[in-house]
Amino acid sequence: MTREPAPRWQRVSAAAVVIGSLSGGVATDLIADAVGSNLGPVTWLVAGGLAAVAGIVLLALEFRKRRAAEWEEPPPPVPRQRAGVPTDLPYTYGFAGRDADVDWVREALETEHAVALVGRRGVGTSACAVQAANMVRDRFPDGQMYLDLRAYGRPMRPRQVLSAVARKLGARPPRSPRAADLAATGAELRARLGERKVLLVLDNVADPLQVRHLLPPAPQARLLMAGAPSLSTVDGVAVRWLGEPDRTDALKLLADARTAAGRRTAPTEPSTKDLVELCGRQPHAIRALGQQIGHRGWRAEEVLTALRHVVAAPVHQKVPHAEALPLLAERDIAYRALSGPARRLFRLLSLAPGPLDRPAIAALRRHPEQALDELANGGFVSAAEGGRYEVRPLLSGYARLHLRHDEPARRRLWAYARLMRHLARQAERQDPDWLVLHHDLLRALVTSSPDGPATVVEPLPRRVRRWWFRLAVALCAWYAEQDRTDEWEQVCHAALGTRLGGDRIGGDRSLVAGWAHNELGVIRRRRGDPHGAAAVLTLAVTERGRRGQAQARTNLGLALLDQGEVDAAIEHLHRAREHRAPGDRAGQALTHLGLGAAYLARGEPTKARHHLVQAANAFEAAGDRRGYAAALTNLVLAQWRLGEHLDAAHAWAAALEVYELIDDPGGRAAALLNAGAALVNTDPPRGEPARELLTEALRLRADRRPDAALGRTLLHLGDAELAVDHPTRARERWQEAADVCEEAGDEEGAAEANHRLTD
């Protein structure tokens, strides 16, 4: 192999160094001989010091030169351009990752005449297309041409696009914007190219009409486009969708930007992963943030903490803006390209922690149809079930940053108040289909503290807190109806954890804390914990006003009744009846129902019948089927004990009919238990029909946890088995009843079962 001769400039430089060294040495000897005898030792010492200083300066300059050379950006890995080939294709700067996408473009250009990279603005379609074009320069020896269709801030028209391409190829531009003239120019361009191997790169294509007359390209030419997703609808174009870079590529982009800014070591903080996610993995924002981290010496962890504080702060709270906030907000190219209404709707949608339907979006901003379509086409929002929309999860943090940066605090607060008012009113209608679809969103809004941390000085205005409380009440009412106690309890604890826990709402005397404790008492009573329920309900009684206290006392009386404290229960129920407003028919009916059950437990069926009849009539007038059936179920026992067997049979049949309509297995099981217990305790006992009813009640309770009702069902079923001459089965049922009652804490039921076993 022959060695290539050294470049001419290297040979000249070497000769100059040699000649300069010889000349300097001769001059130094002559000067030393001439002045050596006239200079003293001090002069030589000064001259030596100056020479040492000069040497140190030269070494420092050489070190800085080498250090700068080490930090220089490496040249782009593209083939070397041959001389004489026309090109205006730019090079990419700071390009990282996207290896699979670049490889796809390179392979597609082998066989396809027109190739397009599409995606939402700002995700890197332009950089990826230019990088791929640079990688295939050697395949197009007749030229590579680049045209930005948004070079002047607005999309070019089809005639402007054809005119620009015609000038690059030396052809005649179209005479007019008429379709015939545009088509003629496109045909002339294809004829001029002929068999030439030319690559034409069109960037920022916003509409297929801009490039329609350039398709199909000449036989050996290739057309590479980067632009909007609408390019995927053009026939004859190979399309690849480009999303945001993955986390690995985003981290590499951040590291490269830091290195280019002067910090050569890549970021190793764990917070960088969360930082690029908070930026929505937008390449322009990541690159700008990395450069500032490198220039200013910011720590990624501190930047992330400051931005998270901005994102997570309550909507009304004034927080100091992070230094990186304006930088990130201004580098969101896709966001800045939106229209004003679309930008504002994108910001306001971040107020909701879940998808919203169109009426809710209209509560944020009037007439949102056009802006919403623009956001959907641009990839800012995604569609959800039921015609709902939400900010894409990847962009949710970025949307909150724009909300803080571009939306004044007063307008943020008004939009939030309108959203809470709309959702509260919708929830109060108790539409089951709507609640099933939206309850996750409602729970997220309620459980996130409306006042924020306790350090917040300015709470939300009263109107917003009022709608928040109404939303919480409506949501808990639906959870109670659906028996979703876990989510119900979560909402109550969230209410207690807010600053509203000790605040009055809208002038009403009921306190949020009292309401929450009352709801928690009902939940504990449903779970079979009457002692815990009584303790929480006692707090509710002391915290609530007169009107709210009536409901808390009713629930407290029922909890005491579950514990066997009948007299105390009757006292609280009578006081609750006194506190009830005359127009509160539902509350009056519930209190009468509790009093009827309490008098039954005390052995006073006449008083029990009086209150239960009033409860049944009130529930029926109010259209409350569940309450009506519960009143009839207890009325059966009172009438049977009074000897009104025919009336009891009618009440029992009506209760079963209602329970079948409302699909309440638990209530139907209770009605069957009462009817079976009444039949088996007659003289003589009616064992066979009682056994059928109690067996059906046991079947309905088969999947329920052990409680007093299940124990009593087994107890009376044993009595029915004994009445039909099955003593062995009777003892088995009594033993099961004793075990269940003991586990459920029903001491009276366990004692009755054990008494039957010993007889």
Side-chain angles (χ1 to χ4, degrees):
M1 296 178 61
T2 58
R3 180 178 299 176
E4 291 187 8
R8 183 178 179 182
W9 66 270
Q10 293 185 3
R11 297 197 299 270
V12 173
S13 299
V17 170
V18 173
I19 295 172
S21 300
L22 293 176
S23 302
V26 173
T28 301
D29 292 339
L30 293 176
I31 293 173
D33 292 340
V35 301
S37 57
N38 299 322
L39 296 178
V42 176
T43 305
W44 284 108
L45 183 62
V46 172
L50 293 175
V53 171
I56 293 173
V57 172
L58 291 175
L59 288 175
L61 292 175
E62 180 66 18
F63 177 77
R64 291 185 60 183
K65 181 179 178 181
R66 292 184 179 182
R67 185 72 177 272
E70 291 178 356
W71 283 9
E72 286 181 357
E73 286 290 325
V78 299
R80 183 175 297 177
Q81 184 71 37
R82 293 192 308 161
V85 177
T87 182
D88 57 359
L89 185 65
Y91 288 101
T92 54
Y93 171 74
F95 187 83
R98 302 287 195 186
D99 296 334
D101 300 308
V102 172
D103 292 341
W104 180 87
V105 174
R106 295 173 60 186
E107 294 175 2
L109 289 173
E110 290 279 357
T111 57
E112 303 292 340
H113 288 78
V115 179
L117 285 173
V118 301
R120 60 184 298 272
R121 292 199 64 185
V123 299
T125 52
S126 301
C128 189
V130 172
Q131 178 73 6
N134 280 311
M135 299 292 288
V136 296
R137 279 176 180 264
D138 55 350
R139 299 186 195 172
F140 302 95
D142 296 323
Q144 308 96 32
M145 300 178 184
Y146 174 84
L147 179 62
D148 185 0
L149 273 59
R150 199 186 286 269
Y152 301 104
R154 62 178 60 184
M156 289 184 178
R157 297 177 180 177
R159 183 186 181 185
Q160 294 174 320
V161 175
L162 285 174
S163 299
V165 175
R167 284 193 296 269
K168 288 178 179 293
L169 295 175
R172 183 178 57 185
R175 294 180 179 180
S176 70
R178 292 184 301 177
D181 292 336
L182 297 180
T185 301
E188 183 180 352
L189 292 175
R190 283 188 287 273
R192 181 173 291 274
L193 286 174
E195 297 296 326
R196 295 169 59 188
K197 294 185 177 181
V198 174
L199 175 64
L200 177 60
V201 181
L202 299 180
D203 196 5
N204 290 318
V205 182
D207 193 335
L209 294 177
Q210 295 175 299
V211 298
R212 184 180 64 179
H213 297 286
L214 294 173
L215 294 169
Q220 297 299 323
R222 294 292 185 267
L223 181 61
L224 175 58
M225 297 175 286
S230 57
L231 280 174
S232 59
T233 62
V234 181
D235 295 333
V237 179
V239 177
R240 183 178 179 89
W241 175 266
L242 204 66
E244 287 81 3
D246 58 24
R247 181 177 293 183
T248 302
D249 289 348
L251 289 173
K252 188 175 186 304
L253 188 63
L254 181 65
D256 291 347
R258 287 185 63 172
T259 302
R263 298 187 68 178
R264 187 180 180 190
T265 305
T268 57
E269 299 93 341
S271 56
T272 53
K273 295 181 180 179
D274 297 330
L275 190 58
V276 297
E277 292 294 328
L278 185 60
C279 295
R281 298 206 296 265
Q282 305 301 302
H284 292 279
I286 293 174
R287 188 180 295 114
L289 184 60
Q291 290 173 352
Q292 292 300 316
I293 289 176
H295 280 306
R296 302 192 183 187
W298 291 344
R299 292 187 58 203
E301 184 178 357
E302 295 175 353
V303 175
L304 177 63
T305 301
L307 291 177
R308 277 181 172 172
H309 183 55
V310 172
V311 169
V315 61
H316 66 291
Q317 184 181 359
K318 297 179 181 179
V319 295
H321 285 179
E323 292 184 75
L325 178 59
L327 175 70
L328 293 178
E330 294 167 4
R331 289 304 181 102
D332 192 348
I333 297 178
Y335 170 80
R336 296 298 171 190
L338 293 171
S339 63
R343 286 200 301 269
R344 184 158 192 260
L345 182 59
F346 177 64
R347 299 192 299 264
L348 295 180
L349 283 175
S350 66
L351 290 171
L356 299 174
D357 55 11
R358 286 184 179 267
I361 295 174
L364 288 173
R365 190 184 182 280
R366 293 181 179 178
H367 309 296
E369 292 79 12
Q370 186 174 356
L372 188 60
D373 292 340
E374 185 178 353
L375 292 177
N377 295 332
F380 289 88
V381 299
S382 57
E385 180 187 1
R388 297 175 298 163
Y389 295 88
E390 65 177 334
V391 177
R392 289 176 53 209
L394 183 61
L395 302 179
S396 59
Y398 219 165
R400 293 283 292 188
L401 293 178
H402 283 302
L403 182 71
R404 282 288 176 182
H405 185 261
D406 297 334
E407 193 76 13
R410 184 178 182 83
R411 297 179 68 181
R412 291 198 306 264
L413 191 58
W414 275 105
Y416 186 72
R418 293 194 301 270
L419 177 63
M420 294 294 289
R421 179 180 61 187
H422 171 79
L423 294 176
R425 287 176 173 175
Q426 285 292 111
E428 287 174 342
R429 295 177 183 176
Q430 293 294 303
D431 181 0
D433 295 334
W434 189 88
L435 285 167
V436 167
L437 200 61
H438 292 84
H439 80 94
D440 288 331
L441 166 68
L442 304 182
R443 187 176 71 254
L445 281 171
V446 171
T447 54
S448 60
S449 172
D451 270 345
T455 56
V456 179
V457 178
E458 300 178 1
L460 281 173
R462 186 179 298 275
R463 61 180 179 276
V464 181
R465 287 179 284 162
R466 177 166 58 93
W467 290 114
W468 173 88
F469 181 64
R470 288 177 60 172
L471 178 60
V473 172
L475 185 60
C476 284
W478 184 71
Y479 282 148
E481 182 181 352
Q482 299 294 319
D483 200 22
R484 304 174 70 155
T485 55
D486 292 338
E487 294 159 309
W488 185 6
E489 184 178 20
Q490 183 183 1
V491 173
C492 296
H493 283 300
L496 289 175
T498 64
R499 295 179 61 205
L500 299 182
D503 193 12
R504 300 182 185 275
I505 301 295
D508 195 349
R509 295 186 59 83
S510 61
L511 299 175
V512 175
W515 166 81
H517 281 130
N518 179 68
E519 298 290 313
L520 288 173
V522 176
I523 293 172
R524 293 188 180 182
R525 182 169 174 266
R526 285 197 181 188
R527 290 175 175 174
D529 181 16
H531 296 281
V536 176
L537 289 167
T538 302
L539 291 175
V541 169
T542 59
E543 292 166 343
R544 307 200 74 172
R546 180 182 179 88
R547 184 176 178 183
Q549 193 180 88
Q551 184 62 41
R553 285 192 180 277
T554 299
N555 292 327
L556 178 58
L558 296 176
L560 293 173
L561 184 60
D562 293 338
Q563 299 180 54
E565 301 179 14
V566 180
D567 294 335
I570 292 176
E571 179 184 356
H572 280 287
L573 288 168
H574 274 296
R575 295 185 64 181
R577 184 185 172 190
E578 295 172 359
H579 291 321
R580 291 285 186 188
D584 186 8
R585 296 182 179 180
Q588 291 284 0
L590 183 61
T591 305
H592 279 299
L593 177 61
L595 284 170
Y599 280 117
L600 273 176
R602 199 160 72 173
E604 300 181 23
T606 302
K607 292 183 178 180
R609 181 185 60 181
H610 168 73
H611 288 289
L612 291 171
V613 168
Q614 288 191 347
N617 293 334
F619 281 128
E620 186 179 19
D624 187 349
R625 293 182 176 179
R626 191 182 300 272
Y628 177 62
L632 291 178
T633 300
N634 287 277
L635 184 60
V636 170
L637 294 178
Q639 291 173 335
W640 196 272
R641 292 180 184 179
L642 292 172
E644 301 171 354
H645 295 169
L646 183 60
D647 292 338
H650 285 302
W652 164 65
L656 290 180
E657 182 179 354
V658 174
Y659 279 125
E660 290 178 357
L661 293 175
I662 63 177
D663 190 20
D664 185 1
R668 190 165 185 269
L672 292 170
L673 169 60
N674 289 353
L679 291 174
V680 80
N681 289 314
T682 58
D683 189 18
R686 301 171 61 182
E688 190 60 37
R691 185 175 66 167
E692 293 178 1
L693 297 176
L694 293 168
T695 302
E696 177 64 15
L698 184 63
R699 186 188 66 80
L700 294 173
R701 295 185 182 275
D703 296 334
R704 297 174 62 88
R705 59 181 175 272
D707 56 7
L710 179 60
R712 294 307 176 101
T713 303
L714 292 169
L715 178 67
H716 293 299
L717 184 56
D719 295 342
E721 294 287 356
L722 182 62
V724 295
D725 295 330
H726 291 156
T728 304
R729 293 181 183 177
R731 294 187 62 84
E732 292 175 357
R733 294 302 186 184
W734 290 335
Q735 185 62 54
E736 292 178 7
D739 296 338
V740 171
C741 290
E742 185 176 355
E743 183 178 355
D746 184 4
E747 298 179 359
E748 183 179 355
E752 291 184 13
N754 290 323
H755 178 70
R756 286 169 171 78
L757 288 171
T758 56
D759 288 346

